[in-house]
Amino acid sequence: MLICLPDVLDQDTVKRFRQRMDSAQWVDGKVTAGVQSGAVKRNQQLPEQSPLAQQLGNEILDALASHGPFISAALPLKIFPPLFNRYQGGEHFGVHVDNAIRFVKGTVTRIRTDLSMTLFLSEPEEYDGGELMIEGKFGAQAVKLPAGHMVLYPSSSLHQVMPVTRGARVCSFFWMQSMVRDDGARELLYDLDQSVQALAAEQGVDHPEVVRLSGIYHNLVRRWADT
Ligand code: NI
């Protein structure tokens, strides 16, 4: 399931991020790539452990912690500290699948990558190309979102970033281990939660069927979630 979440960061926050990022030192993006993905990766990143990347990454994690649709769609258990990349002058990232396990540098934390996130920090009109192409059951989908919006997709998907032929594409990208490992089960929970919320808005939160469906939702989470 591919989900686009609007307004994860507001416009003022994006502007502040960009002012700080645009004057920072960038390094070759291969530093965080695996063997296969490293061979097809051409971009730049903020150094993973730079204070700037850590500060901005923490702000993103704070924003996500109170973002209802994100919690509902992802059911997050562990989130990898957000990284930041930039593509310009024809840079691109060829077809690859993200590494299954990520180690958080300088810690013993390991994360199984269930979901991949890209948070856009450039407006689409600032650059040409740079679409994130994600392959799914119904073919490839091109994703290019307004600044501050984020896409969430299964880390098991083949994906690529098309060459950026004008301007710069600046994003944050990171991974997450979900409490619900199975994509299909997680999607059912998300759909059910959306329906329960819509029904609650229409009928009231104390309507007996709303209460019963909420119970079913929580009992399914209890059945499927690992914590
Ligand atoms: Ni990737």
Side-chain angles (χ1 to χ4, degrees):
M1 181 176 54
L2 185 157
I3 297 177
C4 296
L5 300 173
D7 303 320
V8 169
L9 297 181
D10 62 37
Q11 293 311 303
D12 288 345
T13 306
V14 170
K15 204 175 284 176
R16 186 164 48 76
F17 270 45
R18 282 297 300 278
Q19 277 166 358
R20 299 189 64 191
M21 293 169 75
D22 290 350
S23 58
Q25 292 280 348
W26 293 73
V27 297
D28 189 321
K30 289 191 200 298
V31 287
T32 57
V35 177
Q36 188 274 328
S37 55
V40 293
K41 186 174 185 182
R42 304 278 180 279
N43 70 0
Q44 305 151 62
Q45 286 177 202
L46 287 183
E48 205 174 343
Q49 289 180 303
S50 70
L52 179 60
Q54 290 179 348
Q55 282 167 22
L56 300 182
N58 286 339
E59 276 198 56
I60 293 172
L61 295 179
D62 283 347
L64 289 175
S66 57
H67 196 286
F70 168 75
I71 305 286
S72 174
L75 297 168
L77 177 61
K78 290 189 266 184
I79 305 180
F80 193 88
L83 299 170
F84 297 87
N85 62 16
R86 181 169 70 185
Y87 295 78
Q88 55 190 10
E91 288 176 322
H92 63 280
F93 197 162
V95 180
H96 66 282
V97 167
D98 294 339
N99 286 357
I101 308 290
R102 310 279 333 185
F103 293 82
V104 181
K105 241 187 184 169
T107 74
V108 293
T109 305
R110 277 170 302 183
I111 293 177
R112 185 189 64 233
T113 56
D114 294 324
L115 286 165
S116 299
M117 277 79 72
T118 296
L119 170 62
F120 289 78
L121 297 168
S122 297
E123 294 295 351
E125 53 275 16
E126 284 181 55
Y127 59 99
D128 289 335
E131 295 84 0
L132 173 61
M133 304 291 295
I134 302 167
E135 290 184 25
K137 277 183 235 157
F138 302 107
Q141 200 167 332
V143 181
K144 186 168 177 174
L145 300 177
H149 294 208
M150 187 174 88
V151 62
L152 196 68
Y153 60 97
S155 302
S156 52
S157 320
L158 281 169
H159 57 279
Q160 61 179 314
V161 177
M162 304 310 283
V164 172
T165 55
R166 176 188 64 87
R169 174 195 191 269
V170 179
C171 289
S172 174
F173 67 103
F174 49 110
W175 304 272
M176 198 201 63
Q177 181 170 337
S178 175
M179 287 186 282
V180 176
R181 178 182 195 150
D182 182 71
D183 284 330
R186 200 183 321 110
E187 188 171 349
L188 281 173
L189 289 171
Y190 178 65
D191 286 343
L192 178 58
D193 188 40
Q194 296 295 106
S195 285
V196 172
Q197 287 189 43
L199 197 62
E202 219 175 80
Q203 302 288 334
V205 285
D206 51 357
H207 188 284
E209 294 307 324
V210 171
V211 174
R212 207 150 75 119
L213 284 170
S214 298
I216 292 170
Y217 172 81
H218 285 285
N219 289 334
L220 285 173
V221 172
R222 226 183 302 281
R223 182 171 285 241
W224 290 335
D226 294 310
T227 56

